[in-house]
Short mmCIF file of all heavy atoms in Angstrom, two decimals:
data_model
loop_
_atom_site.label_atom_id
_atom_site.label_comp_id
_atom_site.label_asym_id
_atom_site.label_seq_id
_atom_site.Cartn_x
_atom_site.Cartn_y
_atom_site.Cartn_z
N TYR A 360 -60.38 83.28 183.67
CA TYR A 360 -59.54 82.46 182.80
C TYR A 360 -58.57 83.38 182.19
O TYR A 360 -58.96 84.46 181.59
CB TYR A 360 -60.39 81.85 181.64
CG TYR A 360 -59.70 80.93 180.81
CD1 TYR A 360 -58.86 79.75 181.15
CD2 TYR A 360 -59.63 81.24 179.41
CE1 TYR A 360 -58.16 79.10 180.30
CE2 TYR A 360 -58.84 80.54 178.44
CZ TYR A 360 -58.23 79.46 178.96
OH TYR A 360 -57.53 78.56 178.01
N ASN A 361 -57.18 83.06 182.35
CA ASN A 361 -56.15 83.84 181.91
C ASN A 361 -56.16 85.25 182.33
O ASN A 361 -55.88 86.23 181.80
CB ASN A 361 -55.94 83.96 180.38
CG ASN A 361 -55.52 82.66 179.76
OD1 ASN A 361 -54.92 81.84 180.43
ND2 ASN A 361 -55.74 82.39 178.46
N GLY A 362 -56.64 85.41 183.72
CA GLY A 362 -56.72 86.68 184.41
C GLY A 362 -57.98 87.47 184.09
O GLY A 362 -58.10 88.55 184.61
N GLU A 363 -58.94 87.14 183.16
CA GLU A 363 -60.04 87.78 182.80
C GLU A 363 -61.23 87.22 183.42
O GLU A 363 -61.42 85.94 183.44
CB GLU A 363 -60.16 87.73 181.29
CG GLU A 363 -58.96 88.43 180.50
CD GLU A 363 -58.92 89.84 180.74
OE1 GLU A 363 -60.04 90.51 180.92
OE2 GLU A 363 -57.86 90.47 180.71
N ASN A 364 -62.14 88.04 183.91
CA ASN A 364 -63.43 87.50 184.39
C ASN A 364 -64.27 87.07 183.20
O ASN A 364 -64.27 87.58 182.21
CB ASN A 364 -64.16 88.70 185.20
CG ASN A 364 -63.55 89.14 186.43
OD1 ASN A 364 -62.59 88.41 186.93
ND2 ASN A 364 -63.82 90.23 186.95
N ILE A 365 -64.91 85.89 183.45
CA ILE A 365 -65.77 85.23 182.52
C ILE A 365 -67.15 84.87 183.10
O ILE A 365 -67.34 84.71 184.32
CB ILE A 365 -65.02 83.94 181.89
CG1 ILE A 365 -64.87 83.00 183.13
CG2 ILE A 365 -63.76 84.32 181.25
CD1 ILE A 365 -64.27 81.59 182.65
N ASP A 366 -68.12 84.60 182.19
CA ASP A 366 -69.39 84.15 182.55
C ASP A 366 -69.17 82.68 183.15
O ASP A 366 -68.52 81.89 182.54
CB ASP A 366 -70.44 84.12 181.44
CG ASP A 366 -70.71 85.47 181.08
OD1 ASP A 366 -70.65 86.36 181.80
OD2 ASP A 366 -71.20 85.74 179.79
N ALA A 367 -69.93 82.37 184.22
CA ALA A 367 -69.86 80.96 184.67
C ALA A 367 -71.17 80.71 185.46
O ALA A 367 -71.92 81.73 185.96
CB ALA A 367 -68.54 80.83 185.62
N GLY A 368 -71.29 79.48 185.77
CA GLY A 368 -72.61 79.18 186.71
C GLY A 368 -72.04 78.32 187.77
O GLY A 368 -70.96 77.85 187.86
N ALA A 369 -72.86 78.09 188.87
CA ALA A 369 -72.63 77.18 189.89
C ALA A 369 -73.90 76.48 190.25
O ALA A 369 -75.06 76.96 190.06
CB ALA A 369 -72.10 78.13 191.00
N ARG A 370 -73.68 75.23 190.87
CA ARG A 370 -74.80 74.35 191.32
C ARG A 370 -74.66 74.09 192.78
O ARG A 370 -73.63 73.76 193.10
CB ARG A 370 -74.80 73.23 190.47
CG ARG A 370 -75.93 72.20 190.86
CD ARG A 370 -75.92 70.95 189.97
NE ARG A 370 -76.18 71.24 188.66
CZ ARG A 370 -76.46 70.34 187.66
NH1 ARG A 370 -76.02 69.09 187.93
NH2 ARG A 370 -76.75 70.51 186.42
N HIS A 371 -75.73 74.23 193.49
CA HIS A 371 -75.63 73.85 194.88
C HIS A 371 -77.01 73.30 195.28
O HIS A 371 -78.05 73.90 194.87
CB HIS A 371 -75.39 75.11 195.62
CG HIS A 371 -75.11 74.95 197.13
ND1 HIS A 371 -73.99 74.54 197.61
CD2 HIS A 371 -75.94 74.95 198.16
CE1 HIS A 371 -73.93 74.41 198.83
NE2 HIS A 371 -75.18 74.70 199.28
N LYS A 372 -76.93 72.23 196.06
CA LYS A 372 -78.16 71.49 196.58
C LYS A 372 -78.45 72.29 197.85
O LYS A 372 -77.64 72.28 198.83
CB LYS A 372 -77.86 70.13 196.71
CG LYS A 372 -79.20 69.43 197.22
CD LYS A 372 -78.94 67.86 197.68
CE LYS A 372 -78.63 67.06 196.37
NZ LYS A 372 -78.49 65.73 196.76
N VAL A 373 -79.82 72.67 198.10
CA VAL A 373 -80.23 73.32 199.26
C VAL A 373 -81.16 72.18 199.98
O VAL A 373 -82.14 71.78 199.26
CB VAL A 373 -81.12 74.56 199.16
CG1 VAL A 373 -81.63 75.08 200.41
CG2 VAL A 373 -80.22 75.61 198.38
N ILE A 374 -80.76 71.80 201.15
CA ILE A 374 -81.55 70.68 201.87
C ILE A 374 -82.38 71.40 203.03
O ILE A 374 -81.85 72.06 203.78
CB ILE A 374 -80.58 69.76 202.45
CG1 ILE A 374 -79.69 69.08 201.29
CG2 ILE A 374 -81.20 68.62 203.29
CD1 ILE A 374 -78.61 68.15 201.75
N PHE A 375 -83.59 70.98 203.01
CA PHE A 375 -84.63 71.39 204.04
C PHE A 375 -84.74 70.25 205.00
O PHE A 375 -85.16 69.03 204.58
CB PHE A 375 -85.84 71.80 203.28
CG PHE A 375 -85.78 73.05 202.54
CD1 PHE A 375 -85.47 72.94 201.11
CD2 PHE A 375 -85.95 74.29 203.13
CE1 PHE A 375 -85.34 74.06 200.39
CE2 PHE A 375 -85.83 75.48 202.41
CZ PHE A 375 -85.54 75.42 201.08
N GLN A 376 -84.57 70.39 206.30
CA GLN A 376 -84.72 69.26 207.22
C GLN A 376 -85.71 69.78 208.31
O GLN A 376 -85.44 70.80 208.99
CB GLN A 376 -83.43 69.03 207.78
CG GLN A 376 -83.52 67.85 208.94
CD GLN A 376 -83.81 66.50 208.32
OE1 GLN A 376 -83.23 66.19 207.43
NE2 GLN A 376 -84.75 65.79 209.03
N ILE A 377 -86.79 69.14 208.43
CA ILE A 377 -87.82 69.51 209.49
C ILE A 377 -87.15 69.09 210.75
O ILE A 377 -86.68 67.92 210.97
CB ILE A 377 -89.13 68.80 209.24
CG1 ILE A 377 -89.64 69.20 207.89
CG2 ILE A 377 -90.08 69.13 210.43
CD1 ILE A 377 -90.89 68.63 207.48
N GLU A 378 -87.18 69.97 211.76
CA GLU A 378 -86.66 69.65 213.05
C GLU A 378 -87.25 68.40 213.81
O GLU A 378 -88.46 68.35 213.73
CB GLU A 378 -86.91 70.89 213.89
CG GLU A 378 -86.12 70.87 215.30
CD GLU A 378 -86.08 72.14 216.05
OE1 GLU A 378 -86.58 73.14 215.60
OE2 GLU A 378 -85.51 72.18 217.17
N ASP A 379 -86.48 67.58 214.34
CA ASP A 379 -86.95 66.37 215.02
C ASP A 379 -87.60 65.32 214.07
O ASP A 379 -88.10 64.41 214.54
CB ASP A 379 -87.81 66.67 216.08
CG ASP A 379 -87.16 67.53 217.26
OD1 ASP A 379 -85.89 67.40 217.41
OD2 ASP A 379 -87.87 68.45 217.80
N GLN A 380 -87.44 65.44 212.74
CA GLN A 380 -87.95 64.51 211.79
C GLN A 380 -87.14 63.35 211.78
O GLN A 380 -85.95 63.40 211.71
CB GLN A 380 -88.15 65.18 210.54
CG GLN A 380 -88.45 64.12 209.33
CD GLN A 380 -88.47 64.67 207.98
OE1 GLN A 380 -88.78 65.99 207.70
NE2 GLN A 380 -87.96 63.98 207.07
N PRO A 381 -87.80 62.11 211.86
CA PRO A 381 -86.96 60.89 211.83
C PRO A 381 -86.14 60.77 210.46
O PRO A 381 -86.61 61.15 209.40
CB PRO A 381 -87.92 59.71 211.97
CG PRO A 381 -89.18 60.43 212.51
CD PRO A 381 -89.16 61.86 212.04
N LYS A 382 -84.89 60.42 210.63
CA LYS A 382 -84.08 60.34 209.36
C LYS A 382 -84.14 58.86 208.88
O LYS A 382 -83.17 58.20 208.82
CB LYS A 382 -82.69 60.82 209.70
CG LYS A 382 -82.59 62.35 210.18
CD LYS A 382 -81.15 62.71 210.25
CE LYS A 382 -81.11 64.23 210.61
NZ LYS A 382 -79.68 64.65 210.76
N ALA A 383 -85.22 58.36 208.65
CA ALA A 383 -85.48 56.96 208.19
C ALA A 383 -86.96 56.83 207.69
O ALA A 383 -87.64 57.75 207.77
CB ALA A 383 -85.26 55.97 209.30
N VAL A 384 -87.16 55.73 207.13
CA VAL A 384 -88.46 55.56 206.61
C VAL A 384 -89.49 54.99 207.83
O VAL A 384 -88.96 54.54 208.83
CB VAL A 384 -88.61 54.38 205.49
CG1 VAL A 384 -87.74 54.81 204.34
CG2 VAL A 384 -88.15 53.07 206.19
N SER A 385 -90.65 55.14 207.64
CA SER A 385 -91.64 54.71 208.63
C SER A 385 -91.64 53.16 208.90
O SER A 385 -91.16 52.48 207.96
CB SER A 385 -93.03 55.12 208.36
OG SER A 385 -93.57 54.38 207.25
N GLN A 386 -92.17 52.61 209.88
CA GLN A 386 -92.27 51.18 210.15
C GLN A 386 -93.13 50.52 209.11
O GLN A 386 -92.82 49.52 208.60
CB GLN A 386 -92.66 50.92 211.62
CG GLN A 386 -91.63 51.24 212.61
CD GLN A 386 -92.22 50.81 214.02
OE1 GLN A 386 -93.37 50.43 214.21
NE2 GLN A 386 -91.30 50.95 214.99
N LYS A 387 -94.19 51.20 208.76
CA LYS A 387 -95.09 50.64 207.76
C LYS A 387 -94.48 50.49 206.39
O LYS A 387 -94.61 49.56 205.79
CB LYS A 387 -96.42 51.63 207.70
CG LYS A 387 -97.47 51.10 206.77
CD LYS A 387 -98.61 51.86 206.62
CE LYS A 387 -99.80 51.44 205.77
NZ LYS A 387 -100.90 52.06 205.68
N PHE A 388 -93.71 51.60 206.09
CA PHE A 388 -92.94 51.66 204.84
C PHE A 388 -92.01 50.42 204.74
O PHE A 388 -91.83 49.86 203.77
CB PHE A 388 -92.29 52.95 204.65
CG PHE A 388 -91.69 53.25 203.36
CD1 PHE A 388 -92.37 54.05 202.29
CD2 PHE A 388 -90.43 52.65 203.01
CE1 PHE A 388 -91.84 54.33 201.13
CE2 PHE A 388 -89.91 52.94 201.64
CZ PHE A 388 -90.56 53.66 200.78
N ALA A 389 -91.38 50.28 205.89
CA ALA A 389 -90.37 49.10 205.98
C ALA A 389 -91.03 47.84 205.78
O ALA A 389 -90.36 46.93 205.23
CB ALA A 389 -89.47 49.25 207.12
N ARG A 390 -92.15 47.63 206.42
CA ARG A 390 -92.93 46.44 206.23
C ARG A 390 -93.25 46.09 204.78
O ARG A 390 -93.21 44.96 204.33
CB ARG A 390 -94.16 46.37 207.17
CG ARG A 390 -93.80 46.25 208.75
CD ARG A 390 -95.15 45.67 209.42
NE ARG A 390 -96.18 46.80 209.25
CZ ARG A 390 -96.41 47.78 210.08
NH1 ARG A 390 -95.52 48.11 211.08
NH2 ARG A 390 -97.36 48.58 209.84
N ILE A 391 -93.78 47.07 204.16
CA ILE A 391 -94.17 46.90 202.77
C ILE A 391 -92.96 46.54 201.85
O ILE A 391 -92.92 45.74 201.03
CB ILE A 391 -94.93 48.13 202.15
CG1 ILE A 391 -96.08 48.45 203.02
CG2 ILE A 391 -95.25 48.02 200.70
CD1 ILE A 391 -96.77 49.79 202.75
N GLN A 392 -91.81 47.22 202.25
CA GLN A 392 -90.57 46.94 201.41
C GLN A 392 -90.12 45.47 201.54
O GLN A 392 -89.87 44.81 200.73
CB GLN A 392 -89.55 47.83 202.02
CG GLN A 392 -89.20 49.19 201.36
CD GLN A 392 -87.93 49.72 201.78
OE1 GLN A 392 -87.63 49.87 202.91
NE2 GLN A 392 -87.08 50.28 200.78
N ASN A 393 -90.38 45.00 202.80
CA ASN A 393 -89.90 43.61 203.03
C ASN A 393 -90.87 42.63 202.30
O ASN A 393 -90.38 41.60 201.72
CB ASN A 393 -89.93 43.18 204.54
CG ASN A 393 -88.83 43.85 205.32
OD1 ASN A 393 -87.73 44.21 204.69
ND2 ASN A 393 -89.03 44.17 206.62
N GLU A 394 -92.19 42.94 202.27
CA GLU A 394 -93.15 42.14 201.55
C GLU A 394 -92.84 42.23 200.03
O GLU A 394 -92.89 41.26 199.26
CB GLU A 394 -94.55 42.65 201.68
CG GLU A 394 -94.99 42.32 203.27
CD GLU A 394 -95.12 40.81 203.54
OE1 GLU A 394 -95.36 39.99 202.68
OE2 GLU A 394 -94.86 40.55 204.67
N LEU A 395 -92.41 43.44 199.42
CA LEU A 395 -92.00 43.42 198.13
C LEU A 395 -90.90 42.67 197.78
O LEU A 395 -90.78 42.01 196.87
CB LEU A 395 -91.76 45.04 197.75
CG LEU A 395 -91.10 45.17 196.43
CD1 LEU A 395 -92.18 45.00 195.21
CD2 LEU A 395 -90.73 46.78 196.33
N ARG A 396 -89.83 42.72 198.65
CA ARG A 396 -88.65 41.91 198.32
C ARG A 396 -89.02 40.41 198.47
O ARG A 396 -88.49 39.62 197.54
CB ARG A 396 -87.58 42.08 199.41
CG ARG A 396 -86.93 43.47 199.43
CD ARG A 396 -85.69 43.60 200.22
NE ARG A 396 -85.25 44.82 200.00
CZ ARG A 396 -85.33 45.91 200.96
NH1 ARG A 396 -85.99 45.71 202.22
NH2 ARG A 396 -84.75 47.04 200.93
N LYS A 397 -89.84 40.00 199.24
CA LYS A 397 -90.27 38.50 199.24
C LYS A 397 -90.98 38.18 197.92
O LYS A 397 -90.75 37.02 197.32
CB LYS A 397 -91.21 38.26 200.31
CG LYS A 397 -91.68 36.91 200.55
CD LYS A 397 -92.56 36.74 201.79
CE LYS A 397 -93.20 35.29 201.87
NZ LYS A 397 -94.08 35.18 203.03
N ALA A 398 -91.94 38.96 197.51
CA ALA A 398 -92.64 38.90 196.13
C ALA A 398 -91.71 38.89 195.04
O ALA A 398 -91.82 38.03 194.18
CB ALA A 398 -93.74 39.89 195.94
N ILE A 399 -90.64 39.72 195.05
CA ILE A 399 -89.69 39.68 193.96
C ILE A 399 -88.85 38.39 193.94
O ILE A 399 -88.58 37.76 192.86
CB ILE A 399 -88.77 40.91 193.99
CG1 ILE A 399 -89.56 42.17 193.82
CG2 ILE A 399 -87.50 40.83 193.15
CD1 ILE A 399 -88.69 43.40 194.08
N SER A 400 -88.46 37.91 195.18
CA SER A 400 -87.71 36.69 195.29
C SER A 400 -88.49 35.43 194.77
O SER A 400 -87.86 34.53 194.35
CB SER A 400 -87.09 36.46 196.65
OG SER A 400 -88.35 36.22 197.55
N GLU A 401 -89.80 35.58 194.96
CA GLU A 401 -90.70 34.47 194.59
C GLU A 401 -91.18 34.68 193.02
O GLU A 401 -92.06 33.83 192.66
CB GLU A 401 -91.88 34.36 195.55
CG GLU A 401 -91.43 33.98 196.84
CD GLU A 401 -92.53 34.06 197.93
OE1 GLU A 401 -93.65 34.64 197.53
OE2 GLU A 401 -92.39 33.65 199.07
N ASP A 402 -90.69 35.66 192.41
CA ASP A 402 -91.07 35.85 190.99
C ASP A 402 -92.59 36.07 190.84
O ASP A 402 -93.22 35.75 189.90
CB ASP A 402 -90.72 34.75 190.08
CG ASP A 402 -89.23 34.64 189.86
OD1 ASP A 402 -88.54 35.76 189.91
OD2 ASP A 402 -88.66 33.61 189.66
N ASP A 403 -93.20 36.66 191.92
CA ASP A 403 -94.69 36.89 191.99
C ASP A 403 -94.94 38.34 191.57
O ASP A 403 -95.01 39.32 192.39
CB ASP A 403 -95.22 36.65 193.34
CG ASP A 403 -96.81 36.77 193.44
OD1 ASP A 403 -97.41 37.39 192.43
OD2 ASP A 403 -97.36 36.04 194.29
#
């Protein structure tokens, strides 16, 4: 700042990705999600 070095911080997200891991939810997870949406729509 104004040519002088100052204290500062930085933030960075480090992402870990398992090789060949599906980039989506499982089929079972998706089925439960659909059932949840149905229950919400029915106020149950």
